Amino acid sequence: MTISETVCRGSILDQNPAITIPENQKYDLVCTGCKTAYFNDRLKCDSDNGLLRTNYRNKKLELKDAPGIGKFHDWLPVNELITTDSGPVTYRSTELAQYLGLKNLFIGFNGYWPERGANIKTCSFKELEAFPTLSKFKNSGKSLVLASAGNTARAFAHVSAMTGVNVYIVVPGSGISRMWLPEEPTDSIHFIQMGNKCDYTDSIHLAERLSAAPGMQAEGGARNVARRDGMGTVMLDASIFMKRIPDHYFQAIGSGTGGIAAWEAALRLLEDGRFGTALPQLHLSQNLPFVPMYNAWEAGRRDIIKDIDMPEPKKLIHEMYADILSNREPPYSVPGGVYDALCATNGSMYAISNDAAKNGVTLFEDLEGIDIFPPAGVAVASLIEAVDAGKVKKDDYIVLNITGGGVKRVEQDHKLYKIEPSAYAENANVPLEEII
Ligand SMILES: *Cc1c(COP(=O)(O)O)cnc(C)c1O
């Protein structure tokens, strides 16, 4: 393994090149590595490894008249307006803010909490990825393949049930308990359960094989701009609510896709010009003992070195409280990835213990009055750490992304249905005939 680059070079990536988008198109895709522009949808650059980023024709965001994520249509890579009431919600915290001595703490709540206008019935911000992705994919005539540790699976299954788009979802053994839906599962949902020894990364590998079969299409993970721009609406919603780009953005990460998305959304807001002139600092957190990105970042490395940053990954992942934050191959090193996002925003990483994360969950529920998921507890704990370390000042504008919550609340309003597996895979190398 080589250490290719240790110097931050964020500033080069901050500029979208001046290119002309064809008249009939809403956006083009620009490689964050080599700056090549592409006018057709694709997941990869022909010449390098860089993430492709959407460059929208409309530089000023005009909100559309839609109840949920569809408001942000201008900056979503879809042509049809998304009309769901599911979308990001921002509110100003009073209780947690007071507890932490913060004047301008804003919560990006991504879950179910109708009293606050939050209608994400599968209870995580993965729904913000699922709606744009499936909207874009709807007319392809293919089936979409993805891997998930649970929340993504639920979100994509839910949108599949609503739209009829076929999805094949590969879930590791540990994700089974998270496989429920707020409606009756439909035949468009194909759920492949993996063996108990398999983790999220095994399910990614099986999904990769499956997506190469005829009629199948890989969803793309962090490379899918519909996913990133969907998650980026949390930053957009918060900035519109606050009438400015925040000084700080806190989020727990497993892949870091949400962190990249927040950075990209902030770049668009800078270009828009009405929301300020500085990027927010990203504060991204992982859950001990599995913290590969934290380790690489603290060592000043663009590369994750497996033996140093995540020895015995399966053992470490098994010990995590927020085990869905466990991607072994995150988009950290790639151009336009997490490392670049942290460099460009003068960001920080946090390694949060299980106890601190559990405390974050309890504290948030006690003070703000809604149950949240373990990863969101990791983010709360990182905010506490930042306050204690003086990394944020009391007047700073802070967005805390509560990436999932409200399961207890959704159970009061909706009957939840279990999704039954349509196939079982002992490992990532099973013959595909067994699972299609
Ligand atoms: C997926 C997920 C995360 C991590 O998101 P990434 O930015 O993709 O790493 C955090 N919290 C919850 C609830 C999630 O489902």
Side-chain angles (χ1 to χ4, degrees), residues 3 27-28 35 106 119 125 132 150 154 157 182 193-194 256 271 308 310 314 326 337 344 351 359 366 372 377 396 419:
I3 300 174
Y27 62 89
D28 59 11
K35 307 296 171 205
F106 295 82
N119 291 312
F125 79 154
R154 222 168 41 242
Q193 177 181 341
M194 293 196 75
E271 263 193 286
I308 298 176
M310 47 174 172
K314 294 203 181 190
S326 61
N359 177 55
D366 289 349
I372 61 171
D396 286 352
I419 312 176

Side-chain angles (χ1 to χ4, degrees), residues 213-233:
M216 303 283 180
Q217 161 84 49
E219 171 276 323
R223 294 198 167 273
N224 171 1
V225 293
R227 245 181 123 150
R228 301 214 302 282
D229 293 356
M231 292 172 124
T233 62

Side-chain angles (χ1 to χ4, degrees), residues 125-126 151 231 251-258 324-325 373 375 403-404:
F125 79 154
K126 296 300 193 301
N151 291 340
M231 292 172 124
Q251 194 206 303
I253 62 169
S255 71
T257 311
I324 61 169
L325 302 177
F373 282 159
T403 46

Side-chain angles (χ1 to χ4, degrees), residues 110 123-126 129 150-152 154 200 222 227 231 249 251-261 284-286 293 324-327 330-331 338 373-376 401-405:
N110 296 292
C123 295
S124 88
F125 79 154
K126 296 300 193 301
E129 310 176 40
N151 291 340
T152 304
R154 222 168 41 242
Y200 180 39
R227 245 181 123 150
M231 292 172 124
Y249 171 86
Q251 194 206 303
I253 62 169
S255 71
T257 311
I260 301 167
L284 307 178
S285 45
Q286 297 205 278
M293 287 186 269
I324 61 169
L325 302 177
S326 61
N327 191 319
V338 176
F373 282 159
N401 188 344
I402 295 296
T403 46

Side-chain angles (χ1 to χ4, degrees), residues 286-314:
Q286 297 205 278
N287 182 198
L288 287 163
F290 182 79
V291 294
M293 287 186 269
Y294 169 84
N295 288 336
W297 177 252
E298 288 298 304
R301 274 188 268 110
R302 173 180 277 276
D303 292 298
I304 292 175
I305 302 176
K306 286 188 179 150
D307 294 342
I308 298 176
D309 298 327
M310 47 174 172
E312 299 186 84
K314 294 203 181 190

